[in-house]
């Protein structure tokens, strides 16, 4: 079967917010370099409260055992399978008709390459750390429950080739959003915020991208703390909008090494998770909750804008900023980003046939489809890998 023939695929992902599993059922047609993706159905399967709580603890560095990780891997495999079956049911497409399911899984640890790492001829690490990543949600369980081929474990091939293993969505951004006349930046605001920079008429090697820093992660962590778990996010940014920015704290945080580091770079809970929230925000016991939320929101907005100023606008003429991810629902955050980037048109990915909540799941359906055809899924100019590689197992 050739790439141009329409095929059904499902993309599955649970991001750093760990709210649940996003599942997108899509029809993919067109050529390898100009695919057309049509969304048939999209759902989010929330994690059971006990599962989410433990995942947040594990990703935050809580003590565990190999047995617990193994058990959680298979338990999440069942949940990812349920999500795949549910989205197929909603779209009225039998899972047996799927060409592929692309499952990103749930990241519980991610550590990209370190600056200054050195190895002996025996390839033992002498200083720095060993780059590694771990996504769980057993693919064999998903394949058994659905009867469909499954591609999973996308990040490892890029990391084996010297890359950060992230971000990977830029390949989908390039394939679906590039324009011959206009420079485009795709901004995804999930737990972590990341950008894909696509110059007008770009070739794959012209694309750049990186994680700018926290997206919703710090904001959501504070909301859970201040609401004693009653709320998961700041709807529309209304809570933050009531507060005042703690300027010395924002200035201090923007001087942290991550924000100063040149791309390529990737981030996660290891940099901006529970320990970060506790150290820099919850330690300010006398600060009002609204002020801390306003400051966290401003940190996200300014770190994104600062990244644009340093590594995007000085190199590439940009006419469009296309936003997706959960943060796209935070109207106050988008207002702040727009104010900090005058002259750049801010639009939602919905306008381009990619609903803001579904775009990442769509991306992994497309990446899995490329894997089926033996096509590379990474962009070395984004991840820092030595070469392009076929992703997934």
């Amino acid at each position: 079967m050739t790439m141009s023939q329409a095929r059904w695929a499902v993309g599955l992902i649970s991001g750093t917010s760990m709210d649940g599993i996003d599942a997108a059922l899509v029809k993919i047609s067109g050529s390898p370099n100009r695919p057309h993706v049509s969304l048939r159905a999209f759902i989010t399967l929330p994690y059971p409260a006990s599962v989410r709580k433990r995942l947040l603890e594990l990703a935050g560095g809580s003590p565990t055992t190999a047995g617990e990780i193994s058990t959680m891997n298979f338990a999440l495999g069942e949940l990812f399978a349920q999500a795949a079956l549910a989205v197929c049911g909603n779209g009225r497409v039998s899972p047996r008709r799927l060409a592929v399911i692309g499952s990103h899984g749930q990241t519980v640890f991610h550590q990209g390459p370190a600056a200054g790492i050195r190895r002996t001829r025996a390839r033992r690490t002498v200083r720095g750390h060993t780059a590694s990543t771990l996504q769980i949600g057993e693919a064999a369980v998903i394949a058994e429950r659905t009867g469909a081929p499954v591609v999973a474990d996308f990040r490892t091939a890029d990391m084996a080739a010297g890359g950060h293993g992230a971000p990977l969505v830029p390949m989908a951004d390039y394939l679906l959003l590039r324009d011959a006349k206009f420079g485009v930046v795709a901004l995804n605001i999930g737990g972590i915020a990341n950008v894909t920079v696509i110059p007008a008429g770009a070739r794959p090697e012209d694309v750049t991208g990186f994680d700018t820093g926290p997206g919703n992660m710090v904001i959501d962590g504070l909301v859970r703390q201040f609401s004693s778990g009653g709320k998961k996010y700041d709807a529309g940014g209304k809570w933050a909008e009531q507060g005042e920015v703690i300027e010395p704290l924002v200035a201090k945080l923007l001087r942290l090494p991550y924000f100063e580091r040149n791309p390529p770079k990737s981030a996660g809970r290891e940099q901006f998770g529970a320990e970060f929230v506790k150290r820099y925000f919850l330690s300010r016991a006398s600060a009002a909750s609204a002020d801390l939320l306003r400051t966290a929101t401003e940190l996200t907005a300014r770190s994104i804008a600062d990244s644009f100023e340093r590594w995007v606008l000085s190199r590439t003429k940009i006419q469009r900023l296309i936003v997706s991810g959960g943060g796209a629902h935070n109207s106050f955050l988008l207002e702040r980003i727009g104010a900090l980037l005058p002259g750049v048109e801010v639009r939602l990915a919905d306008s381009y046939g990619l609903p803001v909540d579904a775009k990442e799941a769509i991306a992994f359906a497309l990446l899995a489809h490329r894997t089926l055809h033996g096509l590379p899924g990474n962009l070395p100019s984004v991840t820092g890998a030595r070469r392009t590689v076929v992703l997934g197992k």
Side-chain angles (χ1 to χ4, degrees):
M1 187 174 288
T2 65
M3 184 85 167
S4 60
Q5 293 177 287
R7 306 179 83 177
W8 291 107
V10 164
L12 303 171
I13 183 171
S14 177
T16 49
S17 294
M18 299 186 178
D19 293 323
I21 302 161
D22 292 338
L25 171 65
V26 299
K27 180 179 281 188
I28 303 174
S29 59
S31 68
N33 293 322
R34 275 289 182 186
H36 176 73
V37 175
S38 175
L39 180 66
R40 178 67 169 264
F42 172 75
I43 67 161
T44 297
L45 179 70
Y47 280 137
S50 59
V51 171
R52 182 170 190 266
K53 179 177 181 293
R54 190 56 186 145
L55 284 172
L56 287 168
E57 290 171 347
L58 292 176
S62 174
T64 186
T65 64
E68 184 180 20
I69 294 291
S70 179
T71 299
M72 189 67 79
N73 179 43
F74 274 73
L76 289 193
E78 298 287 357
L79 292 175
F80 273 75
Q82 288 178 29
L85 292 170
V87 79
C88 286
N90 282 16
R92 298 184 179 181
V93 171
S94 168
R96 301 284 174 174
R97 295 177 62 193
L98 296 176
V100 69
I101 295 173
S103 177
H104 173 274
Q106 177 66 68
T107 300
V108 291
F109 183 80
H110 181 81
Q111 181 69 68
I117 196 167
R118 181 167 61 87
R119 290 186 174 89
T120 66
R121 288 184 179 179
R123 302 194 65 78
R124 291 191 297 270
T125 299
V126 175
R127 57 191 176 88
H129 61 251
T130 300
S132 67
T133 191
L134 181 61
Q135 286 74 45
I136 60 175
E138 181 52 54
V141 174
I142 303 170
E144 178 65 24
R145 301 293 178 264
T146 62
V150 177
V151 176
D153 205 11
F154 285 87
R155 297 183 184 274
T156 51
D158 180 83
M159 295 188 76
H164 282 253
L168 297 179
V169 173
M171 172 61 85
D173 289 334
Y174 170 73
L175 293 171
L176 300 175
L177 295 174
R178 74 186 189 272
D179 192 282
K181 297 181 179 179
F182 298 103
V184 175
V185 172
L187 168 64
N188 184 74
I189 311 175
I192 295 295
N194 57 70
V195 293
T196 306
V197 184
I198 313 170
R203 301 165 298 173
E205 58 267 29
D206 299 324
V207 179
T208 57
F210 53 94
D211 289 348
T212 62
N216 307 314
M217 184 175 289
V218 178
I219 300 167
D220 291 352
L222 290 172
V223 168
R224 286 194 299 271
Q225 179 71 26
F226 297 148
S227 67
S228 299
K231 295 181 179 180
K232 296 180 180 178
Y233 56 90
D234 183 11
K238 296 297 184 183
W239 196 344
E241 200 169 5
Q242 299 170 24
E244 299 290 334
V245 178
I246 305 171
E247 290 289 351
L249 178 55
V250 174
K252 177 181 179 180
L253 294 176
L254 289 175
R255 290 194 296 268
L256 291 174
Y258 184 84
F259 298 117
E260 300 283 344
R261 190 180 308 151
N262 290 326
K265 55 182 180 177
S266 59
R269 289 193 175 275
E270 293 74 22
Q271 290 80 22
F272 301 109
E275 287 302 313
F276 179 87
V277 172
K278 181 179 178 181
R279 178 177 179 181
Y280 293 108
F281 288 85
L282 298 180
S283 60
R284 293 175 172 259
S286 61
S289 59
D291 291 348
L292 290 172
L293 278 167
R294 175 74 173 86
T295 301
T297 302
E298 193 69 7
L299 174 64
T300 293
R302 288 194 201 176
S303 59
I304 290 169
D306 184 59
S307 294
F308 269 68
E309 293 294 337
R310 293 188 187 207
W311 299 298
V312 179
L313 298 179
S314 61
R315 305 175 185 180
T316 308
K317 187 176 181 181
I318 296 299
Q319 287 87 8
R320 296 174 182 165
L321 175 59
I322 302 172
V323 185
S324 61
H329 298 293
N330 187 327
S331 54
F332 180 59
L333 175 58
L334 295 190
E335 178 185 315
R336 290 299 303 136
I337 293 170
L340 292 166
L341 294 171
V344 178
E345 179 188 14
V346 180
R347 301 185 67 179
L348 297 183
D350 301 67
S351 303
Y352 299 87
L354 298 168
V356 295
D357 293 322
K359 196 188 89 167
E360 284 201 297
I362 292 171
F364 280 94
L366 185 59
L367 289 174
H369 193 243
R370 290 181 67 80
T371 299
L372 282 189
H373 289 82
L375 298 171
N378 67 330
L379 292 168
S381 56
V382 172
T383 66
R386 292 183 293 274
R387 64 183 183 90
T388 61
V389 291
V390 177
L391 302 180
K393 300 173 183 175

